Amino acid sequence: MERIGLAVIGAGYWGPNLVRNAQATPGLRLEYLCDLDVSRARQVLGDYSTVRASASLDEVLADDAVGAVAIATPAGTHLKVALAALEAGKHVLVEKPLAANLAEGRRLVEAAESRGLVLMLDHTYCYTPAVRRLRELVRGGELGDIQYLDSVRINLGLVQPDVDVLWDLAPHDLSVFGAILPDGVEPLEVAAHGSDPIGAGRACVAHLTIRLTGGAMAHVHVNWLSPTKIRTMVIGGSSRTVVWDDLNPSQRLSIYDRGVDRRADLGAGEREQAIISYRVGDMVAPALTEREALRSVMAEFAGSIAEGRRPLTDGRSGLRVLALLEAASESLATGGTFVPVKTEVAA
Amino acid sequence: MERIGLAVIGAGYWGPNLVRNAQATPGLRLEYLCDLDVSRARQVLGDYSTVRASASLDEVLADDAVGAVAIATPAGTHLKVALAALEAGKHVLVEKPLAANLAEGRRLVEAAESRGLVLMLDHTYCYTPAVRRLRELVRGGELGDIQYLDSVRINLGLVQPDVDVLWDLAPHDLSVFGAILPDGVEPLEVAAHGSDPIGAGRACVAHLTIRLTGGAMAHVHVNWLSPTKIRTMVIGGSSRTVVWDDLNPSQRLSIYDRGVDRRADLGAGEREQAIISYRVGDMVAPALTEREALRSVMAEFAGSIAEGRRPLTDGRSGLRVLALLEAASESLATGGTFVPVKTEVAA
Amino acid sequence: MERIGLAVIGAGYWGPNLVRNAQATPGLRLEYLCDLDVSRARQVLGDYSTVRASASLDEVLADDAVGAVAIATPAGTHLKVALAALEAGKHVLVEKPLAANLAEGRRLVEAAESRGLVLMLDHTYCYTPAVRRLRELVRGGELGDIQYLDSVRINLGLVQPDVDVLWDLAPHDLSVFGAILPDGVEPLEVAAHGSDPIGAGRACVAHLTIRLTGGAMAHVHVNWLSPTKIRTMVIGGSSRTVVWDDLNPSQRLSIYDRGVDRRADLGAGEREQAIISYRVGDMVAPALTEREALRSVMAEFAGSIAEGRRPLTDGRSGLRVLALLEAASESLATGGTFVPVKTEVAA
Amino acid sequence: MERIGLAVIGAGYWGPNLVRNAQATPGLRLEYLCDLDVSRARQVLGDYSTVRASASLDEVLADDAVGAVAIATPAGTHLKVALAALEAGKHVLVEKPLAANLAEGRRLVEAAESRGLVLMLDHTYCYTPAVRRLRELVRGGELGDIQYLDSVRINLGLVQPDVDVLWDLAPHDLSVFGAILPDGVEPLEVAAHGSDPIGAGRACVAHLTIRLTGGAMAHVHVNWLSPTKIRTMVIGGSSRTVVWDDLNPSQRLSIYDRGVDRRADLGAGEREQAIISYRVGDMVAPALTEREALRSVMAEFAGSIAEGRRPLTDGRSGLRVLALLEAASESLATGGTFVPVKTEVAA
């Protein structure tokens, strides 16, 4: 396989992880680490690297050895950086969220699609062995009809200077919802409540409620202020319910054959109570192969370029997340009422 | 101390616990267990008991040996049963919620207060060693200003025939909030989202968001459908944050000296980021004496009668819970908007 | 079914549990609670009981209404009390250990067997749903050949005045080993190491190593001084390994399809490494019905009397535990060498 | 600071970690990765490295740019490789155990000391923030007199071709004991029991009991066959007891103010029971800074060379571990009797 020349843009928090994993990906050849602060790029590369550091995006994009870029700069810069890359004919892998808002995101999707370039979101969690298995379980019907989803992502996190806790953390949960829900189950409307108890100027604690096609409800709790760290998602189905605890490496997924059933109504004489029944069956924790998710992200990026196909988390998956975030922000600003999700933009 | 003659009304789910604990309380003398189904009452008492079973509330209330009743019948019957008891001059301990609605609850409070009788709520959790310590921590100022509260109470629970999951489970959380929050921190408005994914005819999953005086937000997640059982409450303060995990008997309370601080603004030249700082200090899990909470409930009931004083969880604490539940139900019915809490009724 | 009249002897730590469970057992009719300190017996019975308190064992044994006794007195008194009961023609349920030593235990077994009376050990753990399932798993062959057992029973426990930590705690583990191991897998020899770091005059921390028929090794760690409480048993088999965590009510048993296999030797050219393989399969946590074990103990006692059959934990199971404890004590006294277990006495 | 030229010897399981951490250590300049299989070395270095791969130890040792070597080859080769390095005037960091036996270990210590070269053991755990704090707690007297130590290190591990589970895993526990125990508390004798239930040709499960100066007992349980992973050490003291759970990143250390006290004898009339008392106080989990231990190992190696001082885990700490392992192997071979530890060799 021809190796694709890659430049990583941004040497901040996430950039070093992209650099490390790109170097370990057979289909990629890392050419540059680019950062406005070139000394930061040099420090990330260290003293023993043959990879070039650059302070100039223009230089990088002008280099024919570079066929693709991976962007790990602040969300506010995604439009400018990614658009320049696409216009220079480079395939793009971009950190979540795709852009600072839905309109900007749509411009990027259009720019990529019109040029036949890969635009891929680094929705890292979607590439974990746990979420891949969740996707199989949900879409394969093993859980039955999805009844509710509940995701908690809280810890003592960095209060971001430019985005609130919803835009910072919820993209993880929302992208996973998108990856695992069956076709036809779509978010219809969103309500959000938030608070800023430390006076940071933006919500530090938030709760998101999403109504889905078919009546199920999804809930997301994100919190920058929690002294304890929790990363749990429950997906309740009519047949089984699965709990994903990302902080329990020895048992990330637990599939419960437990639930409440409501049998068909038995007639006027029967009381309501009589037709509710409970299942308390076994729990199975499937064996999962541990593999760094970002390694799989890089492999998918290289593979989708090489094969000229859409990646699992393409630009449209990024638009769906942006549509949810925008609706959530509108709800937050208007007292928590339900706001419709503009899913058509992501169609 | 003169022992107060007690009758327990209702031999269903909770009645046996009242019977057992009443028998172990020095200030009480258990006279009757009363249930419309007297064979059920006999079965609860067993073959070795000197306590009388009765099918007649009238008989029990007419007996001068009975000075007080403990009511464990369905909420819909509380008004009738408790009012009859108060009118017969008996002190009353009643299961949560106080009554089926706020108006009925107010009638009971007025009936008790006008007669100088004790009306006490069996808000059992408020009498656990953990909540008593929480109350000291919060009201004693050890946590600083309260920034947020977050309570999760989920498990595979009995789908109730007459009430939804909010009315069934949230009274526990709301009564604890009432017991621990400092004077002057009151619930202002409530929003609720719920869903009924199994077609039970009432919400089986619900999320409650409460805005408190001073800007803090409280959240409650109750769920009858969860295969796993969680009973956790987080109380975030400006100085410390405490996590109460009621299912971890060896470490129910964990007090974290961790948090995010925002120092006073340093001037126009300083960036916002510069004034956020993080504390990552030790965690202390205080030793708590294990004691069955219902034993303390009974002792408080007996003590408040003997001393002619208000119990810790008096009728007004029950009204505050009803006011929150009614506002939540209204929000649930109207799409999740914030609904003001009628706190004045509980004043 | 005719109900068997029962007297509970001993109103100390465990007696109240026997009283409560006897009262709830349909096949039993509780007649007496007997204790040298009759006020203690009265206090246990409480103010509402029709059960008689007695200070006289003679009185109790002379009463024809009493067909059986349950003995919860110190181990040093078991010979005298149980022998008197057997000689009076009463069936006997006795707390572990059966007696203060093997010789005394044998006298009791002979006394019961010669009279055709039931002599049953209250090896409570053997009657938990978890151990019953363990027994099925092990004896049903689902785990394959048993490779090792490892039991940890540590917490801040009461330092006993008359016995060391081995005699106090290890009977639980040893009786469970006896209940679950397949016929033909017997303890051959025992080594014990212990220490008394607080100067209590007897071992407070001890480790027991047992060699079993077939080469497997069992290990027991008991400790009165641990600040944390652990009650875990691992049973490793050639096909599956099961972990029993008695303090995790939501997942007491975890059955792992994981292990190390050694395939048949492939010839001189193959390296040793090549023939070791690893299985990392799923884990299953079976649903278990929660039921108080002592309720099942009482039912088994009543059932074995009524049906004239041996109980699951008969006197001989008590002798097997005594044989192990005596060998362990001898090893402890002689520096930790392996001491043969006198299994023949229990044959 | 002048940077010391380093060669890493061995590109197997642990070598890549040494390479990565050496590159991040300011006082070191990584020159070579050396492995008999040079393609393996090249693969570890990857496509972007300026570090040289070499198949020749002689070449590496002849290079004046190399002032020190880090050896990650099998234990059986340590004598040859390390001795060659020392004879070539290089400082040596070596994986545990120091050598295949005590005699070989002593030759290495003598070779290093006679030449004034640093010989350091990579006892990685001794450099974790948790063990550093343990060392302060124990040696600083905060726990009081040490009463017992108990270490469990079990998981589904690689069955080694050349060493048994004791030699493979116990060096971790034994080196930590050495690092934290106060001066003057030394291992006196060791007993070991082991079993090989899968027919691997060496012990796969083992229990080690160590008697220490002053009467305390230490116990180590190592196991290659466990489906679950446990890495816990309990250090019981007369004042406090600390539990180190290395797999709980959010609470690695828990310091319990709990224990059993035995007060001074009160006279003939007092019963033994009367003078035992129990403390059940709070638990404190100290905040620990997360830092990769191997980074600290490298910094200590560089620092001890630069400053011409003994490292924290010098060759003699390696000898102490070897003396314990040899005594344990002798006990294992002779049925589990206590075998004296040749501590004088490590003096």
Side-chain angles (χ1 to χ4, degrees), chain C residues 162-184:
Chain C
D162 47 355
V163 293
D164 67 8
V165 71
L166 267 180
W167 282 75
D168 183 37
L169 296 184
H172 295 304
D173 312 282
L174 300 177
S175 62
V176 171
F177 290 168
I180 65 177
L181 282 174
D183 298 331

Side-chain angles (χ1 to χ4, degrees), chain C residues 104 118 133 177 186 296-297:
Chain C
E104 293 190 358
V118 169
R133 180 62 68 94
F177 290 168
E186 295 288 339
S296 302
V297 169

Side-chain angles (χ1 to χ4, degrees), chain B:
Chain B
M1 184 164 69
E2 179 80 17
R3 295 166 84 190
I4 299 142
L6 180 77
V8 171
I9 319 294
Y13 171 67
W14 196 245
N17 295 322
L18 293 173
V19 166
R20 181 169 47 80
N21 280 282
Q23 292 188 352
T25 302
L28 299 175
R29 192 184 63 243
L30 183 62
E31 296 284 349
Y32 291 95
L33 173 58
C34 177
D35 198 287
L36 289 176
D37 179 352
V38 73
S39 68
R40 187 162 72 159
R42 284 208 189 93
Q43 197 174 3
V44 165
L45 291 171
D47 297 336
Y48 307 92
S49 176
T50 59
V51 176
R52 282 170 285 179
S54 169
S56 162
L57 179 62
D58 289 344
E59 177 197 21
V60 166
L61 295 182
D63 190 335
D64 284 348
V66 173
V69 300
I71 300 171
T73 59
T77 69
H78 284 186
L79 178 69
K80 191 180 145 212
V81 177
L83 206 55
L86 292 166
E87 286 169 351
K90 316 296 187 190
H91 302 285
V92 169
L93 173 70
V94 64
E95 283 316 294
K96 60 86 197 161
L98 172 55
N101 56 56
L102 187 53
E104 293 189 358
R106 205 182 317 175
R107 284 185 60 192
L108 290 177
V109 169
E110 283 163 4
E113 295 189 349
S114 65
R115 283 169 181 82
L117 293 168
V118 168
L119 174 61
M120 173 170 163
L121 268 288
D122 179 11
H123 287 153
T124 317
Y125 281 103
C126 298
Y127 294 86
T128 56
V131 174
R132 285 173 173 269
R133 179 64 67 92
L134 280 178
R135 181 178 158 91
E136 290 168 21
L137 288 167
V138 174
R139 295 173 69 103
E142 226 178 294
L143 303 190
D145 296 330
I146 299 307
Q147 296 181 333
Y148 69 94
L149 300 99
D150 191 88
S151 193
V152 179
R153 184 175 303 273
I154 70 180
N155 66 299
L156 196 58
L158 291 179
V159 173
Q160 300 294 322
D162 48 353
V163 293
D164 66 8
V165 70
L166 266 179
W167 281 75
D168 182 39
L169 297 184
H172 295 303
D173 312 281
L174 301 176
S175 63
V176 170
F177 290 168
I180 65 177
L181 283 174
D183 299 331
V185 178
E186 295 288 340
L188 301 176
E189 49 182 15
V190 179
H193 300 135
S195 67
D196 171 21
I198 63 165
R202 59 198 66 87
C204 295
V205 180
H207 290 269
L208 211 67
T209 303
I210 308 169
R211 289 205 182 122
L212 301 168
T213 329
M217 189 168 86
H219 190 270
V220 178
H221 174 201
V222 284
N223 186 332
W224 277 333
L225 307 180
S226 170
T228 52
K229 188 172 180 175
I230 302 180
R231 289 185 179 179
T232 308
M233 188 181 286
V234 181
I235 300 151
S238 57
S239 304
R240 282 187 184 76
T241 293
V242 59
V243 177
W244 168 34
D245 181 353
D246 200 52
L247 300 183
N248 185 355
S250 66
Q251 191 179 326
R252 290 197 208 271
L253 295 186
S254 304
I255 306 166
Y256 292 89
D257 185 15
R258 289 184 203 165
V260 182
D261 296 324
R262 187 180 172 282
R263 279 175 291 127
D265 212 314
L266 298 177
E270 297 284 341
R271 290 172 58 208
E272 176 79 10
Q273 260 179 300
I275 57 169
I276 298 281
S277 65
Y278 301 87
R279 265 175 304 116
V280 183
D282 295 350
M283 183 271 275
V284 175
L288 297 173
T289 309
E290 288 283 311
R291 192 197 153 124
E292 186 174 0
L294 197 45
R295 194 67 54 92
S296 301
V297 168
M298 285 293 172
E300 174 73 0
F301 186 45
S304 59
I305 296 170
E307 298 160 26
R309 62 166 171 82
R310 288 197 164 192
L312 176 64
T313 51
D314 65 2
R316 285 164 185 257
S317 73
L319 287 185
R320 281 190 291 270
V321 169
L322 286 176
L324 280 158
L325 290 173
E326 281 208 350
S329 287
E330 190 182 329
S331 176
L332 204 58
T334 57
T337 52
F338 275 99
V339 171
V341 181
K342 296 180 191 155
T343 45
E344 74 284 0
V345 304

Side-chain angles (χ1 to χ4, degrees), chain D residues 247-258:
Chain D
L247 300 183
N248 186 355
S250 66
Q251 190 179 325
R252 289 196 210 271
L253 294 186
S254 304
I255 306 167
Y256 292 88
D257 185 14
R258 288 184 203 163

